Amino acid sequence: MPAVLNVLRDLHRIHQQLTDLRERLERCPRLLKAAKKQVDDAHQLLTDQKAEIQTFHLAAKEQELVLEERAAKILDRQARLKECASNKEYQMLKDEIQSDESANSKLSDKILLAYEAIDQQQEQAQSLAEEVARVEQEQQKTAEQVAEREAALNTDLERIQAELQNAEAELPSEFVGEYRRISAAKGEDAFGQVSDNYCGTCSRQITAQMNNDVLTGKLTICGSCGAILYPKE
Ligand SMILES: [Zn+2]
């Protein structure tokens, strides 16, 4: 078998490895971004929950003010009961006091329920804060793993790039120009492994003459996809 065929096979494998390594490197920032989004989302949920608690708290405080004002009025009316000039006025004040007492009784129940709801919301906020801590830890772990993976992939990349240079140096001169042009444009698809007269890259059939050229190590380019062809082992 002509030596050039081994070089072409090596170059194809090396380009495939480079593509694979680059794809894996590209996934690294995506993993970091996903971890950051988890943290951001968890923070947002906690912030929203705290804002809601604040709103509920203010509403409860307002209702407490209403309660206090009404209680003060009741006391005031109770004082005036003693100075009443007529039975009619006395009865009117009594009725007003009763009506306010009834309203305040309902309102204090309502305030109690509001504070119970706030307690529950605070428990939920606590869980959300724990979730924030969990995803932040997760993010930290992801960042460490990604840094390790990136370093390993970059080491592999350097090694494979050195292999590429060595393999390229072995390429016969008549292949160099086409190889440079096609590999720059197509990366790993710059090569097609021929098996049973078919190009492995585009799956189209090649002519018997082309197949013969491929087997004898002549520079042969797939008419369909433009890949440099070499035979399967
Ligand atoms: Zn092809």
Side-chain angles (χ1 to χ4, degrees), residues 186 189 191-193 198-206 221-229:
K186 297 161 76 76
D189 287 340
F191 297 92
Q193 188 181 65
Y198 282 89
C199 165
T201 293
C202 66
S203 308
R204 301 280 177 80
Q205 200 169 12
I206 61 168
I221 291 167
C222 173
S224 299
C225 72
I228 300 169
L229 299 173

Side-chain angles (χ1 to χ4, degrees), residues 90-109:
Y90 184 88
Q91 197 50 50
M92 211 175 72
L93 280 171
K94 270 283 198 197
D95 287 349
E96 283 172 358
I97 289 168
Q98 204 182 14
S99 153
D100 274 354
E101 277 176 344
S102 158
N104 256 9
S105 163
K106 279 181 199 150
L107 187 56
S108 59
D109 285 351

Side-chain angles (χ1 to χ4, degrees), residues 44-79:
Q44 190 57 53
L45 283 178
L46 181 59
T47 305
D48 291 349
Q49 180 74 0
K50 281 181 174 170
E52 204 178 336
I53 290 171
Q54 178 77 352
T55 308
F56 270 60
H57 223 248
L58 285 174
K61 287 277 171 214
E62 270 173 35
Q63 287 180 329
E64 277 180 331
L65 271 181
V66 172
L67 192 80
E68 282 165 23
E69 279 168 18
R70 207 182 270 140
K73 273 187 197 163
I74 291 169
L75 283 178
D76 183 49
R77 289 196 180 101
Q78 277 168 344

Side-chain angles (χ1 to χ4, degrees), residues 66-176:
V66 172
L67 192 80
E68 282 165 23
E69 279 168 18
R70 207 182 270 140
K73 273 187 197 163
I74 291 169
L75 283 178
D76 183 49
R77 289 196 180 101
Q78 277 168 344
R80 276 158 57 201
L81 276 179
K82 293 165 195 153
E83 299 147 17
C84 269
S86 69
N87 257 347
K88 196 181 164 196
E89 195 190 340
Y90 184 88
Q91 197 50 50
M92 211 175 72
L93 280 171
K94 270 283 198 197
D95 287 349
E96 283 172 358
I97 289 168
Q98 204 182 14
S99 153
D100 274 354
E101 277 176 344
S102 158
N104 256 9
S105 163
K106 279 181 199 150
L107 187 56
S108 59
D109 285 351
K110 209 174 148 189
I111 292 169
L112 204 69
L113 286 177
Y115 277 111
E116 274 174 22
I118 289 170
D119 279 349
Q120 279 181 353
Q121 285 178 320
Q122 254 151 0
E123 276 172 32
Q124 283 167 6
Q126 183 57 38
S127 306
L128 291 174
E130 282 163 17
E131 179 62 9
V132 166
R134 192 187 68 78
V135 292
E136 275 178 348
Q137 228 174 16
E138 200 76 14
Q139 183 192 28
Q140 178 66 30
K141 217 163 73 185
T142 302
E144 284 164 17
Q145 284 170 345
V146 166
E148 260 177 51
R149 191 181 303 178
E150 260 180 335
L153 288 171
N154 278 321
T155 306
D156 286 351
L157 194 62
E158 275 174 37
R159 182 171 53 79
I160 304 294
Q161 273 165 342
E163 266 185 49
L164 178 68
Q165 283 189 338
N166 291 339
E168 282 173 349
E170 286 179 41
L171 208 55
S173 57
E174 69 269 26
F175 278 77
V176 171

